Amino acid sequence: MNILSIETATDWCGIALFIDGECKDKIQKKIPKKHSEKLPVFYSKLILNSRFDDDKLDAIAVSIGPGSFTGLRIGLGFAKGLAFSKSIPIIPVPTLEILARSSEKEYDDYLVYLFSHGDIVYYQRYKNGKGEDLPQVSKWDKITHGLQGVHYGCEKLLKEKKYLSTFPMVEILGKIAIENYKSLVVDKPYTLIPNYIAPFNVR
């Protein structure tokens, strides 16, 4: 399977090319507020450097949220444009699952946190690599912090807590998409929207 994976849910912007199920090349950089400018450039550079015929793509994988409102819109919009032009499906992948698997350590039972703004974070519990329930949004101090933790962007909220810092890696996104293709793929993705998790639902 040949897929392109796109990660724009945070201030990291990434794109990776998988050929026959293996990551052949990627570009990922921390570029706050420049996703709309740089993503098309990354795509062109990736295709050029790999000498890959992008008409042979089978699907586009994209980080679907939660995360940055603007970043998610840019990533999904770009994915939709490619999918429409090539008549291929989109594989939406939950951002917190990408974060969970981007960690260098593996915990049996842990929480994954993604900073939103102020003292607000998105979070989800994972057991043995599988998400429990659905992603939630809450004020940091309203969460029961009794488990190991993996986070992105929560440094100012941690205080004495020592959670592992990571970021959503674009190659991990692609691996999840390939492994879970049948359960995640959307054949007609043109009405697909990001999973923002409405901010007015904050606990």
Side-chain angles (χ1 to χ4, degrees):
M1 176 178 290
N2 303 328
I3 72 165
L4 190 77
S5 62
I6 298 170
E7 171 56 66
T8 57
T10 67
D11 46 10
W12 285 82
C13 180
I15 192 164
L17 176 64
F18 285 73
I19 301 176
D20 295 330
E22 294 186 9
C23 185
K24 295 300 182 181
D25 201 0
K26 67 173 183 176
I27 301 173
Q28 188 164 31
K29 296 181 180 180
K30 191 175 184 180
I31 49 168
K33 299 181 180 180
K34 292 186 177 180
H35 294 62
S36 61
E37 173 188 346
K38 295 296 185 181
L39 183 57
V41 176
F42 289 177
Y43 173 72
S44 297
K45 188 178 295 186
L46 185 73
I47 296 301
L48 180 64
N49 290 347
S50 64
R51 298 181 180 178
F52 178 74
D53 179 358
D54 58 359
D55 285 335
K56 294 181 179 179
L57 284 171
D58 297 306
I60 311 293
V62 64
S63 183
I64 201 65
S68 161
F69 180 85
T70 302
L72 291 172
R73 289 182 63 190
I74 291 168
L76 183 56
F78 191 81
K80 282 183 176 181
L82 282 176
F84 182 78
S85 68
K86 300 181 183 303
S87 299
I88 56 177
I90 287 178
I91 313 166
V93 179
T95 305
L96 293 185
E97 185 169 350
I98 302 165
L99 264 181
R101 290 189 46 182
S102 294
S103 165
E104 293 180 355
K105 292 185 178 180
E106 293 185 5
Y107 299 120
D108 293 332
D109 192 1
Y110 59 106
L111 288 171
V112 177
Y113 305 95
L114 174 60
F115 179 76
S116 175
H117 62 281
D119 62 348
I120 307 299
V121 298
Y122 304 107
Y123 73 101
Q124 188 175 10
R125 185 172 181 173
Y126 276 77
K127 287 187 177 181
N128 300 314
K130 300 292 183 181
E132 298 282 300
D133 300 320
L134 296 173
Q136 300 180 59
V137 59
S138 174
K139 293 183 178 180
W140 179 261
D141 291 337
K142 297 290 185 180
I143 302 171
T144 301
H145 300 276
L147 301 172
Q148 300 277 9
V150 173
H151 80 94
Y152 178 75
C154 300
E155 286 82 4
K156 293 182 179 180
L157 301 172
L158 290 175
K159 299 177 183 178
E160 76 282 357
K161 298 179 179 63
K162 296 181 179 180
Y163 294 155
L164 185 66
S165 176
T166 188
F167 65 95
M169 298 180 182
V170 69
E171 66 269 30
I172 297 298
L173 190 168
K175 289 179 182 179
I176 295 171
I178 292 170
E179 291 169 5
N180 300 278
Y181 179 83
K182 289 184 179 180
S183 62
L184 294 177
V185 68
V186 178
D187 290 316
K188 296 181 179 180
Y190 313 117
T191 59
L192 192 63
I193 60 172
N195 180 16
Y196 296 120
I197 305 183
F200 48 79
N201 286 336
V202 174
R203 291 169 46 195

